[in-house]
Amino acid sequence: MPTEPQILAAPLDGHSVRQYAEVTGMLARFNAALQPGPSAFEERSGHAPDTAEAEAALRLALVAMSEAQRRIERQEARIRELESLSVTDDLTGLFNRRGFDMHLGKALAQARRGERRGAVMMIDLDRFKQINDTYGHAAGDGFLQAVAGVLQADVRECDVVGRLGGDEFAVLMTDLERASCGSRARALTDRLNDHVVDWQGTLLPIKASVGFVEYGADDCAADVLQRADELMYLQKNARRSGAGMAN
């Protein structure tokens, strides 16, 4: 079963380490200036410690701390960006296979705790190769983006949509009552197959074969995906046989 990868925070770069060392030294000087111990100078002169140096050290420390904090925030933002890229499909903005598997693993863990049930849909586009061959890869990319838009627009916020690769998509529908699983899957399938993409004045209908399975506490991710995939190909073969359709 896929498990969520552990994301480790990147260490500070060399410049940030030096900033922290400088800050530590400045604060030590500031503290020593405010609370000095007996010194030979004080014993000889009888003067109080000079606070000007402490104030200057404090100002420099605050500046250095602010700069170090900004560097840390930039590094944290970069870590979040890289984490997002690792689970996101560049073309469509959907989750990629890795991201979808992570969410499916979480959903199945919740099901095992008795919290939720749900369903998985595997979607494979029909005649997609013909679009690439006839209109070019730019048209194919636009078509895939349109499919992604249709799927995203027709799911709930808690659902997960992924592009698993090529012209294959998947939808994870979480927290569903058993009675509503089939109806929601059929409704999404119908709306997807009713959609038409306008590519530079040419109307390209979306046609997709869909396999749909429910999951529960006893299921594992590999079995759920395999069952959905098998049902999807059964539908594809039936559609191909009935209409003489090329893939």
Side-chain angles (χ1 to χ4, degrees):
M1 177 183 299
T3 57
E4 184 172 357
Q6 298 296 315
I7 304 297
L8 301 179
L12 295 176
D13 59 23
H15 187 80
S16 295
V17 171
R18 289 193 297 274
Q19 288 276 0
Y20 272 117
E22 292 172 5
V23 169
T24 302
M26 291 174 186
L27 289 176
R29 291 172 59 196
F30 173 67
N31 191 50
L34 289 180
Q35 298 178 338
S39 67
F41 174 78
E42 288 178 70
E43 291 174 357
R44 290 195 305 269
S45 66
H47 291 303
D50 185 3
T51 59
E53 181 181 358
E55 292 175 355
L58 178 60
R59 286 194 295 271
L60 289 173
L62 292 174
V63 170
M65 289 178 69
S66 296
E67 174 61 23
Q69 181 62 33
R70 285 194 292 271
R71 287 179 175 272
I72 292 171
E73 290 173 353
R74 288 197 293 269
Q75 287 183 348
E76 289 176 343
R78 180 57 176 164
I79 290 170
R80 290 192 297 270
E81 179 185 3
L82 291 174
E83 182 182 6
S84 174
L85 290 174
S86 72
V87 297
T88 303
D89 175 57
D90 290 340
L91 178 64
T92 63
L94 301 177
F95 286 106
N96 59 19
R97 181 62 183 253
R98 180 169 180 264
F100 187 85
D101 285 348
M102 287 169 53
H103 281 280
L104 178 57
K106 291 179 181 179
L108 292 172
Q110 290 172 333
R112 282 190 291 275
R113 293 194 297 268
E115 297 175 6
R116 296 178 180 176
R117 297 182 60 86
V120 170
M121 297 176 62
M122 295 288 283
I123 302 164
D124 191 83
L125 302 181
D126 300 331
R127 294 178 289 191
F128 177 70
K129 185 176 183 298
Q130 293 182 8
I131 294 175
N132 273 331
D133 293 344
T134 304
Y135 303 102
H137 288 284
D141 288 349
F143 193 82
L144 293 173
Q145 290 168 337
V147 171
V150 174
L151 294 174
Q152 284 183 303
D154 205 45
V155 298
R156 302 165 302 165
E157 186 175 351
C158 64
D159 295 336
V160 176
V161 183
R163 180 187 175 210
L164 305 188
D167 60 347
E168 187 175 44
F169 295 80
V171 178
L172 169 63
M173 296 183 288
T174 62
D175 198 16
L176 285 177
E177 297 293 334
R178 181 184 293 273
S180 63
C181 287
S183 60
R184 291 203 72 250
R186 286 189 293 272
L188 180 57
T189 300
D190 290 342
R191 277 191 282 274
L192 182 63
N193 279 284
D194 287 341
H195 198 84
V196 176
V197 179
D198 185 346
W199 173 253
Q200 299 181 351
T202 299
L203 300 181
L204 304 174
I206 296 176
K207 296 300 177 185
S209 299
V210 179
F212 157 75
V213 296
E214 301 175 24
Y215 67 79
D218 297 329
D219 290 310
C220 69
D223 289 342
V224 170
L225 293 175
Q226 181 177 350
R227 286 189 284 126
D229 203 52
E230 289 172 352
L231 290 174
M232 180 271 292
Y233 275 106
L234 284 175
Q235 185 184 100
K236 181 178 285 289
N237 290 334
R239 289 157 64 89
R240 183 184 294 118
S241 299
M245 178 182 62
N247 188 22

